[in-house]
Structures are given as C-alpha cells and as structure tokens.
C-alpha cells in the first residue's frame, strides 16, 4: 500500500508563506474574491522550539494559527471558535452588534432573534453568512472540512475526527447550511485539509463495527493490510519479517480508517458534486515537518487551525 501522498493531484492546493508563517490554500477557494481561508501549518517559529513540559497544557504548543490573520488580510475579523468535543453539534455565528464578540446559535435555533451564546460553546462545526467573521476549527490529525456557498456567500468550518464523522458532522453541516441560508448543495465547494490519512491511521475493530452499524458500505472506509504487505511497506529488516508466528510485530493485519472517504461519502450523500470536493494530499503523520500529528507526537502536539470567512465588501 503506497502512502496516500502522490495518489491525488497536487494542483488544487498550494503551500503559501507569509510574514507570520505558512499555510495551505485550496486554489478553488482562492479564486473566489469574497472568500478568506487557510489551513495553518506547524509553527516554525520560536514556539516550536520550546520543549514540552510535564503537566503542560496538552495543546499549548504552537496553538496559534490565528497569527496568520494579518497575512490573510483578516486582521480585523471577529473570530469564532469552539471547545471541540468530537461531537456533531454545530452553531451558526452572528455578529454581536456593538461588541467585539460574536454570538453562537445552536443548530435548530438559528434565528436572528435568538440571544445566542456569547463565548466559545462546546461543538465541532460553525457556519456563517455574515461578513467579517472568521470561523476556526483546531486539528492535529482530525480532518478539517471548509465549505463555501458560491451563490449565497456563506461558509462553514468543520472538525471531523472519527467520532464526529461517525455522528455525520459533515453531512449535518451541509443540511444546516441548506436550512439556515438556503444553500443548494450543488453550489457548495468543499476543501478537505491536511489530516492523518489511511496510510497511517490504524484503528481497532470497534471502529469498523461502529461505522458498519451506521453507514451502508462502511467497509469502503477502511483498508486492511496483510502482514506481508505491511512488512514490505515498512521495509522491515529481514530478521523482523522472519520472526516466529505469534511473535512478530506484523502477525495481525492492520485496519486503517480513511477519514477522507467518510467525509466524501457524507458530502456526496448531501448533494455536493464530487467535482467540487477538493482534497489536500497531505498526511499529517507522514509530514510532521509541516504539520502537527497527535498520533506521531502524542498529547503535546500543537494544533493547526482551519479558517474561513466572508470578506466585508469594503475590503474586497
Ligand atoms: Zn501517512
């Protein structure tokens, strides 16, 4: 099994450098003048040089993708983010008139008359059609999904790890954009950012069981790797490959989850055309030179930020 990298076109995403750092951009999004977006990368600055301390806050390292906002021309945007819990809870975000904060209206209650929650509530997806608000979700292996409605000028940011994907967070977000903004799925563009890919995302049988119970054809989300092909993949030294049965590291086939396949299934199921779904061909666990990876680096791994917003007319 070859690594995910190289199987997809590199032309739809590019790495961009600014004064405050580098980010990954989806070219289909970059062509839309009213849209601002970025998938931040590993902080290459002084934060990255700090050694993690025992007891340090798990995601304290390199947690500030917001540093890129001035490079993106979004320095004066209001920021919206969540306390992420691997749920499928989502909010629509509105400006708080006369204040520098935003309001979060829980899915299903998103009318302008609602009071909304003032501070980052618990949840895993955000939508807005208000200009000047930057939605952000934090990731370090989980899949960030950004959505843009070309006609209605509405956007969404989704944090989709396996639990959120199991709860259909991506599909629910499209449904909520339809309900709240009248978005038509055929007008949506999706950008799936860097995440751990099926080359590296080994999971247990319980994850297969969980998806099989909720998705028809869930087997297509997984790759099973035989001991032989695994050994070949990892180019193990001969003495490992020849370990006695029951004692070698490759005696059990591994199961690998393809989060991109799950997100793609949900987007297409919700009516987003396949040709409008763009996938960044970066595996965070393969490319720790560019990204943080929870699997590779543990709980001290930093977090990247996937951001999206609508530019106010005056700044276009
Ligand atoms: Zn990988």
């Amino acid at each position: 099994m070859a690594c995910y990298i190289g199987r997809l076109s590199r032309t739809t995403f590019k790495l961009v450098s600014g004064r405050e750092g580098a980010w990954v951009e989806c070219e289909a999004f970059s062509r839309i003048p009213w849209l601002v977006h970025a998938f931040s990368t590993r902080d290459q600055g002084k934060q990255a040089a700090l050694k993690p301390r025992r007891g340090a806050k798990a995601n304290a390292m390199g947690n500030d993708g917001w540093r890129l906002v001035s490079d993106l021309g979004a320095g004066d945007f209001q920021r919206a983010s969540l306390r992420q819990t691997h749920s499928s809870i989502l909010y629509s975000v509105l400006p708080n008139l006369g204040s520098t904060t935003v309001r979060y209206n829980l899915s299903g209650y998103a009318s302008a008359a609602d009071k909304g929650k003032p501070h980052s509530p618990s949840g895993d997806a955000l939508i807005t059609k208000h200009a000047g608000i930057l939605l952000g979700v934090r990731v370090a292996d989980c899949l960030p999904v950004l959505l843009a409605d070309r006609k209605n000028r509405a956007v969404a940011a989704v944090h989709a790890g396996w639990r959120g994907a199991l709860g259909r967070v991506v599909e629910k977000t499209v449904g909520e954009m339809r309900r709240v903004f009248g978005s038509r799925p055929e007008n949506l563009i999706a950008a799936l950012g860097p995440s751990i890919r099926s080359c590296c995302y080994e999971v247990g049988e319980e994850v297969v069981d969980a998806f099989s119970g909720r998705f028809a054809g869930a087997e297509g989300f997984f790759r099973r790797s035989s001991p032989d092909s695994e050994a070949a993949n990892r180019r193990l030294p001969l003495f490992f490959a020849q370990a006695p049965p029951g004692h070698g590291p490759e005696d059990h086939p591994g199961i690998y989850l393809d989060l991109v396949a799950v997100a793609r299934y949900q987007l297409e199921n919700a009516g987003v055309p396949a040709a409008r779904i763009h996938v960044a061909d970066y595996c965070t666990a393969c490319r720790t030179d560019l990204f943080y990876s929870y699997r590779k680096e543990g709980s001290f791994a930093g977090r990247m930020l996937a951001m999206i917003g609508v530019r106010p007319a005056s700044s276009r």
Side-chain angles (χ1 to χ4, degrees):
M1 168 71 193
C3 184
Y4 207 91
I5 288 168
R7 281 201 288 145
L8 294 160
S9 162
R10 284 187 178 277
T11 58
T12 56
F13 284 78
K14 63 182 177 188
L15 197 58
V16 182
S17 286
R19 278 182 311 154
E20 299 296 329
W23 65 91
V24 172
E25 224 173 77
C26 174
E27 290 181 359
F29 279 26
S30 306
R31 286 193 286 270
I32 301 173
W34 54 265
L35 196 59
V36 55
H37 84 288
F39 298 95
S40 80
T41 61
R42 191 180 188 98
D43 185 353
Q44 308 288 351
K46 67 175 191 290
Q47 249 189 321
L50 296 173
K51 286 271 185 289
R53 284 176 289 110
R54 181 176 283 275
K57 209 174 163 202
N59 61 357
M61 297 284 292
N63 188 27
D64 197 11
W66 296 116
R67 71 192 185 281
L68 297 174
V69 292
S70 56
D71 284 337
L72 300 172
D76 55 355
F77 277 48
Q78 293 179 328
R79 301 169 189 179
S81 61
L82 297 164
R83 281 188 289 118
Q84 297 173 189
T85 59
H86 299 275
S87 70
S88 56
I89 297 169
L90 60 128
Y91 295 85
S92 87
V93 183
L94 302 131
N96 218 353
L97 294 176
S99 162
T100 56
T101 59
V102 293
R103 287 185 296 143
Y104 298 85
N105 280 338
L106 187 62
S107 164
Y109 302 90
S111 90
D114 288 336
K115 286 181 82 173
K117 294 173 187 280
H119 302 298
S120 302
S122 297
D124 291 272
L126 294 165
I127 63 174
T128 195
K129 77 185 297 287
H130 290 274
I133 292 177
L134 200 57
L135 311 177
V137 291
R138 291 180 309 282
V139 286
D141 283 346
C142 289
L143 179 67
V145 179
L146 300 180
L147 296 165
D149 176 344
R150 294 172 304 147
K151 293 279 156 57
N152 282 340
R153 298 193 175 186
V155 294
V158 186
H159 164 242
W162 79 262
R163 287 186 189 84
L166 182 67
R168 296 183 184 259
V169 67
V170 180
E171 203 169 336
K172 284 182 182 172
T173 304
V174 174
E176 192 68 356
M177 289 181 82
R178 291 182 74 156
R179 196 183 73 80
V180 180
F181 308 136
S183 296
R184 295 165 66 107
E186 60 269 31
N187 292 332
L188 295 181
I189 311 177
L192 281 52
S195 72
I196 193 166
R197 297 292 152 89
S198 63
C199 43
C200 295
Y201 198 14
E202 188 166 10
V203 295
E205 283 285 358
E206 71 281 5
V207 178
V208 181
D209 292 345
F211 276 93
S212 299
R214 300 181 74 163
F215 291 87
E219 272 299 315
F221 301 157
F222 297 92
R223 175 175 74 81
R224 287 177 190 268
S225 179
S226 71
D228 284 344
S229 65
E230 270 298 286
N233 263 350
R234 296 181 188 175
R235 294 190 177 81
L236 285 174
L238 204 56
F239 65 87
F240 268 133
Q242 292 178 337
H247 293 86
E250 307 299 340
D251 288 325
H252 302 288
I255 307 165
Y256 296 82
L257 173 59
D258 186 347
L259 279 175
V260 168
V262 185
R264 188 184 280 283
Y265 172 96
Q266 292 183 28
L267 288 166
E268 291 185 21
N269 209 34
V272 179
R276 300 210 189 283
I277 302 169
H278 305 279
V279 183
D281 59 344
Y282 291 107
C283 170
T284 45
C286 286
R287 295 298 305 270
T288 49
D289 57 324
L290 282 175
F291 306 107
Y292 296 110
S293 169
Y294 189 89
R295 274 286 171 106
K296 275 280 164 72
E297 301 172 277
S299 59
F300 290 110
R303 300 288 184 272
M304 281 91 64
L305 192 70
M307 295 167 271
I308 191 164
V310 179
R311 291 189 191 281
S314 58
S315 70
R316 270 171 229 153

